[in-house]
Amino acid sequence: MKLSAILILDPRGNISLGGSDVIKRHENYGKHLTSLSNKLKLVVFTSNNSERIIYNSKYLDRYVLSKPTINSLLFAWRAYRCIIQERMDVKLLIAGDPWESFWTALLLNKFLHKDIPIQMQIHGDIANPLWKNINIQNRMRYILAQLFCKKATAVRAVSKNQKINLIKNLRIVESKISVIPVPISLESLDLRKRKYLNRPSNITIIGRVHKDRGITFFLQLLEKLTDISRDFSVIIIGSGKDELKFLSSVKQIIGSNKVKFVGQVSEKQLSRYWREIGVLVSLAPVESYGRVMREALVSGVPVWALESSGSKDLFSVERTGQIRHLDLDATPDSLFIEFNKLLKARPNAAFRNKFMRENAALPSLLVKSWVQLIKF
């Protein structure tokens, strides 16, 4: 009996490299899929640096076909051979990006002599002109996305403003796009009421330590705040190729004794730090959704953010002052006043409760979007 599969294609190995948090999320998708239809199973063809191996579980099968690769032809051929060998009846192809994953899906349809529908998942704000201008590689990928995004059967975006950019700049038909954010794991969060009047006096940056994530803007902000006072500290959670130089610059500005460097942490580990954080700053110039911003707000931590697709969605729904727009052109005095207002911001219980309800429904919404595309 053939296995009826919804197949996720991951030639670059993002699911494997994402670790246990990402794998657990996909297992949850598989669980929701099984509850919707016991005739379907979620299957992932991925890559990592270990040997080729198969991981089977009740709700998710993972096949490691190669080392991480941008060779779509090779990955598609191995995917084809695996499908034949395992006698899979693939009902839907899911491409995690408009490039290598999507090209793999197109080639796989050719090898199978089929026209299996393809859902393209776009997690980054790739249609934002700021993203295109970050580097030459992004410019090339932007042009390729303009050519290939229209060929997808359906597109899954993660925020409303990201969807607007996709329609305006990549000319994707609106009816093809569904906005379904990546669900956040809230199981480990401490959701007890926070004493917001005595928050720790610090600013915290979380995420990949790289120039395209706004670390230069963080240094600008820090220099302006320290012009007024050094009576606060800095927490850095994350890692990346620029971390040594960035950490050295932060210490030069505010002093080594005022800096706590945590490094890379899992979602579960991050949940333990929210009570130590005064204000989260989000400085990535291009942010499609902003999972960390939302996790902060749910945990009662105020957010100071540059305008992006992700933060614009939040500005439109959270109006109590727990998230504020960061204007780096403002004077040091004005910025320090904003910082202190954020430290005293009251957590928004109504926003938190609404977000938690919507977040809990996301896996089911995503799975339903898959089933609706299937040709039985």
Side-chain angles (χ1 to χ4, degrees):
M1 180 178 176
K2 284 192 174 183
L3 169 67
S4 293
I6 289 180
L7 178 59
I8 298 176
L9 298 166
D10 181 35
R12 292 195 293 177
N14 292 323
I15 293 173
S16 298
L17 296 172
S20 60
D21 293 331
V22 176
I23 292 169
K24 185 178 179 181
R25 187 190 314 140
H26 283 80
E27 286 177 342
N28 191 33
Y29 295 156
K31 184 177 180 180
H32 279 82
L33 178 62
T34 302
S35 68
L36 198 63
S37 173
N38 57 15
K39 296 179 181 179
L40 293 167
K41 188 165 188 181
L42 186 60
V43 178
V44 175
F45 285 179
T46 186
S47 60
N48 65 29
N49 289 316
S50 66
E51 59 186 281
R52 292 170 66 180
I53 196 167
I54 302 171
Y55 301 90
N56 290 328
S57 67
K58 184 177 180 180
Y59 301 116
L60 177 70
D61 289 347
R62 284 186 295 134
Y63 294 76
V64 178
L65 301 186
S66 71
K67 292 183 177 180
T69 181
I70 60 172
N71 188 333
S72 299
L73 179 60
L74 172 65
F75 197 83
W77 178 249
R78 290 187 175 178
Y80 167 71
R81 290 177 62 187
C82 187
I83 289 168
I84 300 302
Q85 182 178 338
E86 297 294 324
R87 300 184 69 241
M88 292 183 192
D89 179 18
V90 179
K91 298 294 187 181
L92 175 68
L93 296 171
I94 299 174
D97 61 72
W99 306 291
E100 290 85 3
S101 299
F102 186 67
W103 302 334
T104 299
L106 292 176
L107 288 166
L108 190 52
N109 264 337
K110 294 288 187 183
F111 294 152
L112 291 168
H113 302 289
K114 291 185 178 181
D115 186 22
I116 302 169
I118 305 171
Q119 184 192 69
M120 179 188 291
Q121 304 205 12
I122 303 180
H123 295 281
D125 198 8
I126 63 167
N128 187 326
L130 290 175
W131 182 87
K132 177 181 68 173
N133 294 327
I134 288 175
N135 53 45
I136 294 174
Q137 182 184 24
N138 282 16
R139 290 191 194 100
M140 291 300 298
R141 286 188 174 269
Y142 181 88
I143 294 169
L144 291 169
Q146 285 181 312
L147 296 173
F148 286 100
C149 283
K150 303 170 190 177
K151 298 180 182 294
T153 312
V155 173
R156 177 246 184 138
V158 296
S159 72
K160 294 176 182 176
N161 278 279
Q162 180 202 22
K163 176 182 176 179
I164 292 170
N165 287 335
L166 290 171
I167 295 167
K168 179 181 177 182
N169 298 322
L170 295 188
R171 313 282 185 192
I172 301 175
V173 178
E174 183 175 4
S175 60
K176 280 190 174 186
I177 306 174
S178 300
V179 177
I180 308 172
V182 177
I184 297 172
S185 176
L186 304 177
E187 297 172 2
S188 304
L189 293 184
D190 182 356
L191 299 176
R192 291 174 298 174
K193 187 174 180 181
R194 287 187 56 147
K195 296 179 180 179
Y196 64 93
L197 292 177
N198 61 350
R199 282 195 180 96
S201 184
N202 64 58
I203 57 173
T204 299
I205 185 169
I206 298 175
R208 188 162 53 93
V209 184
H210 191 276
K211 61 183 180 180
D212 65 10
R213 299 301 295 168
I215 58 175
T216 303
F217 297 145
F218 185 86
L219 296 177
Q220 293 174 17
L221 173 64
L222 194 57
E223 285 178 338
K224 287 193 172 185
L225 292 176
T226 53
D227 279 348
I228 305 302
S229 172
R230 293 174 182 267
D231 191 21
F232 66 96
S233 60
V234 171
I235 299 176
I236 302 167
I237 301 176
S239 62
K241 67 176 186 178
D242 296 326
E243 69 181 64
L244 292 178
K245 184 177 179 181
F246 175 62
L247 187 59
S248 174
S249 298
V250 171
K251 288 179 177 179
Q252 275 189 329
I253 294 170
I254 197 170
S256 299
N257 63 325
K258 293 291 188 73
V259 180
K260 179 176 182 178
F261 178 72
V262 176
Q264 190 67 34
V265 298
S266 66
E267 287 183 11
K268 186 174 183 179
Q269 291 169 326
L270 177 59
S271 66
R272 301 170 189 158
Y273 284 97
W274 287 119
R275 286 189 171 267
E276 297 182 28
I277 296 173
V279 174
L280 173 74
V281 291
S282 178
L283 297 165
V286 180
E287 185 75 82
S288 59
Y289 181 59
R291 296 177 68 240
V292 173
M293 287 191 287
R294 285 156 172 83
E295 189 171 331
L297 294 172
V298 170
S299 302
V301 175
V303 175
W304 210 2
L306 292 181
E307 186 174 282
S308 65
S309 287
S311 64
K312 282 163 75 174
D313 277 12
L314 283 173
F315 292 143
S316 68
V317 296
E318 204 300 307
R319 300 177 182 276
T320 66
Q322 197 184 357
I323 179 169
R324 288 179 176 269
H325 174 254
L326 174 57
D327 179 7
L328 286 171
D329 292 327
T331 64
D333 279 319
S334 298
L335 287 170
F336 206 82
I337 289 170
E338 286 287 286
F339 174 48
N340 280 295
K341 284 181 178 178
L342 282 162
L343 286 174
K344 297 173 183 176
R346 183 189 296 269
N348 187 339
F351 169 84
R352 182 188 70 179
N353 295 337
K354 182 174 183 289
F355 175 81
M356 290 177 68
R357 289 193 301 271
E358 293 174 346
N359 184 72
L362 292 176
S364 179
L365 285 176
L366 181 59
V367 166
K368 287 177 181 176
S369 78
W370 296 343
V371 174
Q372 288 169 0
L373 293 171
I374 291 174
K375 299 174 183 177
F376 286 102

